[in-house]
Amino acid sequence: MSEIAGELARVRDAFDRPTLRLLDRKWAPFVLAVFKSSFSRDRRSVQADRLHTQVDAYLADLRSTGVDVPGRNGRALCVQWMNDQWLYRETGDDDQEQYSLTSHALEALLLVDGLSRDRALISESRLTTIVATVRHRATQANPDRDERIRRLDLEMAALAAERDRLAAGGEVAAATNNQMHEGYDNLIDLITQLPSDFKRVEESVAGMHRQIVNDFRGEERPISEVLDEYLSKTDALMSSTAEGRAFEGAIVLLRDEDLLATLKTDLESILLHPFALELSAEERRSFMSTVSLIRKGVDDVLTQRNGLTTTLREHIVNHDVVKDRELERLLREINKELAVWMETAGPRSTVTAELMPGTLELDHLRERFYDPVAHIAPPPLDDVSAFAPEPQSLDDMRTQGGPLLGELRDAIVTAFSTEGAASVGDAFNKLEPGMRRPVEILGLLQLATQVDAVDGTGRTDAESGAPATEAFDTVRPDGSCRTFTVPRITLTDADTAALAALNYGPDHD
């Protein structure tokens, strides 16, 4: 194969990847604009129904301005983007489906952001980073002990000389705004690549586990052997892929809390420089959230690895190899019979087959056998009548019940007809103690309401102007007394006659 043919094959392979397929589509600007508007560093996943509604709103908004947009609705577009490996759908912590961007979509967004942002292709900060990284890696790559000591001595001497100069009162050279801007842009380029890097590790872990599951389903070995191989593959999972090896190497630094605390302090120091006044509030907030971004990325990868490991382990433990073998044997037999039938069947021949087996016609199906223990009589109950309390009399029970409407009516009618009671409260206070329970007040109010003796217009006392009330002195069944304040009610002769005529049932006139 010639050199140009090999390069063409590599380029075609790159264009077949989801990242460049996204950028090469007709609706790529629309898709990337939706991803940019719906997802952010702080909002890495969106509930599925909400994203469908958002896409529908974006489509309607753009159509109203005359912009050409896809003809599908939000749900159909999200499903298509998921099939194109630009969106990933999973079940969240709240048991609801949610979408998140794949590493391919994040790479496409990163590329578009880089092309749409005005920045210098080369700067002092970028060259300094390259030189420092090359020097550090060269020191690590050289196995010569003396050469490594010489490099460390030179570095220590330079640092000591700079310290002595500053300690002697030397001038502190502050970075200019242009220098800080160049360094800031270089850092932003590196920081914005972190989400896609972490996402690639997550996808690599998920892909490895899916491959392991497929391998297990095709196995016919004992479950113990499959489990041993699964555990060995899981132990070497992060070292068997390029992304996993990179993450294992970086996680040693990312788990260093002192290093992350120092990183946060350094980020704050950078934003204290005057050049930071030219940054927007969103840019400063995003820059300061770098440590949170790193922590979140590490947690997502570890959660993905632990969650899938647990799921696969439960799958292996609960996997029924016997049933799988029976199903596989049945499918093989069906394929054999199908091959025999195809030898004589025509191109349009059909076979009637039931999707589900028919039900058995059974009059009775015994669910359990006779158990003599189930027919043993229960033991006799203990006689505890000697411990029973004294039964209450009818009068005692009546004192705990509701108002005695009949007795109250007769007593009130007598009080107003012959004794000249001034009010219902006056009549109540003259009754015997057994008729002056607190609950009898409710009975009196009920009787007065039935004869329309309760005035709901809010009449007031002519002298004080306050609502007319009176005291009801009650006696509880236990002998204790309590006074209640009740609106003052008086009965006219017509009210008394109506009260006397009340009927409480078929046994009363």
Side-chain angles (χ1 to χ4, degrees):
M1 181 182 294
S2 63
E3 181 179 356
I4 184 62
E7 291 297 333
L8 179 59
R10 282 189 289 272
V11 171
R12 283 177 174 173
D13 180 66
F15 270 85
D16 287 337
R17 296 183 179 181
T19 300
L20 289 185
R21 280 195 288 107
L22 171 57
L23 297 175
D24 191 43
R25 295 293 178 88
K26 172 185 177 182
W27 304 113
F30 170 76
V31 177
L32 291 174
V34 170
F35 290 168
K36 187 74 173 176
S37 302
S38 302
F39 299 91
S40 65
R41 178 185 295 184
D42 299 327
R43 188 172 61 254
R44 305 178 66 177
S45 60
V46 179
Q47 202 266 337
D49 292 337
R50 180 179 179 183
L51 183 60
H52 298 161
T53 304
Q54 287 180 348
V55 176
D56 287 333
Y58 296 150
L59 291 170
D61 190 11
L62 292 176
R63 288 193 186 103
S64 65
T65 59
V67 178
D68 190 17
V69 293
R72 298 184 178 183
N73 59 14
R75 180 183 295 274
L77 288 175
C78 289
V79 173
Q80 176 186 342
W81 298 339
M82 184 179 61
N83 295 333
D84 291 333
Q85 302 181 33
W86 303 333
L87 283 179
Y88 178 72
R89 186 167 62 187
E90 59 183 348
T91 302
D93 297 335
D94 53 356
D95 295 333
Q96 291 186 350
E97 290 189 338
Q98 60 186 18
Y99 288 108
S100 60
L101 295 179
T102 64
S103 61
H104 311 295
L106 291 172
E107 288 177 347
L109 288 173
L110 182 62
L111 180 59
V112 171
D113 287 341
L115 294 176
S116 61
R117 186 172 61 245
D118 294 333
R119 61 183 180 90
L121 297 178
I122 188 172
S123 64
E124 177 186 357
S125 173
R126 181 155 297 191
L127 291 178
T128 301
T129 302
I130 294 174
V131 171
T133 303
V134 171
R135 182 186 299 114
H136 178 66
R137 293 305 175 190
T139 301
Q140 291 183 327
N142 195 340
D144 188 354
R145 184 188 303 273
D146 295 335
E147 177 61 20
R148 182 169 295 191
I149 293 176
R150 187 188 67 81
R151 285 175 175 266
L152 293 175
D153 288 340
L154 291 176
E155 185 177 355
M156 292 170 61
L159 293 175
E162 177 64 14
R163 180 189 180 282
D164 293 340
R165 187 186 69 82
L166 294 176
E171 180 182 359
V172 178
T176 63
N177 284 1
N178 289 334
Q179 291 175 330
M180 293 299 297
H181 266 297
E182 291 176 359
Y184 171 79
D185 292 338
N186 188 27
L187 287 175
I188 289 299
D189 284 342
L190 297 175
I191 293 172
T192 51
Q193 296 177 25
L194 290 177
S196 59
D197 292 341
F198 284 123
K199 199 65 178 180
R200 278 196 298 272
V201 178
E202 290 185 54
E203 293 172 354
S204 176
V205 174
M208 177 63 72
H209 278 81
R210 284 194 297 269
Q211 182 62 40
I212 292 175
V213 170
N214 293 333
D215 293 342
F216 290 158
R217 289 175 178 173
E219 291 287 352
E220 295 184 356
R221 296 174 297 168
I223 189 66
S224 58
E225 295 182 9
V226 178
L227 181 59
D228 291 340
E229 182 174 349
Y230 161 72
L231 294 176
S232 63
K233 286 183 178 181
T234 302
D235 292 338
L237 179 63
M238 298 304 291
S239 59
S240 60
T241 61
E243 294 85 356
R245 289 190 296 270
F247 179 77
E248 287 288 352
I251 198 173
V252 177
L253 297 176
L254 299 178
R255 281 178 170 174
D256 190 343
E257 293 297 332
D258 294 336
L259 177 64
L260 293 179
T262 303
L263 174 60
K264 184 177 181 180
T265 303
D266 292 340
L267 294 174
E268 294 174 351
S269 300
I270 292 174
L271 292 182
L272 292 177
H273 192 275
F275 95 98
L277 297 176
E278 303 175 11
L279 303 178
S280 65
E282 176 63 23
E283 290 175 333
R284 290 194 296 270
R285 186 193 60 79
S286 178
F287 187 69
M288 277 304 302
S289 63
T290 301
V291 176
S292 300
L293 174 66
I294 294 175
R295 293 182 188 273
K296 184 66 168 59
V298 173
D299 292 341
D300 288 344
V301 174
L302 296 180
T303 301
Q304 179 82 347
R305 184 173 64 176
N306 296 336
L308 290 176
T309 301
T310 302
T311 302
L312 290 175
R313 184 177 292 111
E314 292 178 353
H315 166 77
I316 294 174
V317 172
N318 300 322
H319 184 56
D320 193 337
V321 181
V322 176
K323 289 185 178 180
D324 284 355
R325 290 177 181 174
E326 292 178 354
L327 177 60
E328 185 177 2
R329 189 181 303 111
L330 177 61
L331 293 177
R332 287 200 188 104
E333 293 177 0
I334 293 176
N335 286 332
K336 291 179 182 179
E337 295 296 332
L338 183 62
V340 174
W341 177 73
M342 288 296 295
E343 293 177 357
T344 57
R348 296 186 179 180
S349 299
T350 60
V351 139
T352 302
E354 295 182 359
L355 295 179
M356 296 295 294
T359 58
L360 297 177
E361 298 294 337
L362 296 177
D363 296 334
H364 175 71
L365 180 62
R366 182 179 293 277
E367 297 180 356
R368 61 180 181 178
F369 295 99
Y370 173 76
D371 186 3
V373 178
H375 295 271
I376 297 178
L381 298 177
D382 296 334
D383 185 7
V384 294
S385 58
F387 302 97
E390 291 294 334
Q392 289 185 330
S393 64
L394 179 60
D395 292 337
D396 293 337
M397 288 188 290
R398 292 188 66 188
T399 58
Q400 304 297 328
L404 306 175
L405 296 179
E407 290 84 344
L408 282 177
R409 180 194 63 173
D410 295 339
I412 295 302
V413 170
T414 302
F416 275 89
S417 300
T418 62
E419 299 176 5
S423 64
V424 173
D426 180 42
F428 178 84
N429 293 332
K430 294 179 181 179
L431 298 177
E432 61 181 14
M435 293 288 295
R436 286 163 46 200
R437 296 178 302 156
V439 72
E440 307 298 351
I441 298 177
L442 302 178
L444 289 175
L445 294 176
Q446 178 180 343
L447 293 174
T449 303
Q450 289 178 329
V451 297
D452 294 332
V454 177
D455 189 354
T457 61
R459 291 182 299 178
T460 59
D461 187 74
E463 297 180 1
S464 62
T469 59
E470 57 184 337
F472 280 63
D473 298 326
T474 63
V475 180
R476 292 193 178 98
D478 59 1
S480 60
C481 299
R482 175 84 181 268
T483 300
F484 294 89
T485 301
V486 182
R488 182 181 179 85
I489 302 174
T490 59
L491 299 179
T492 63
D493 293 340
D495 296 336
T496 303
L499 184 61
L502 282 179
N503 191 340
Y504 292 98
D507 297 335
H508 296 76
D509 296 333

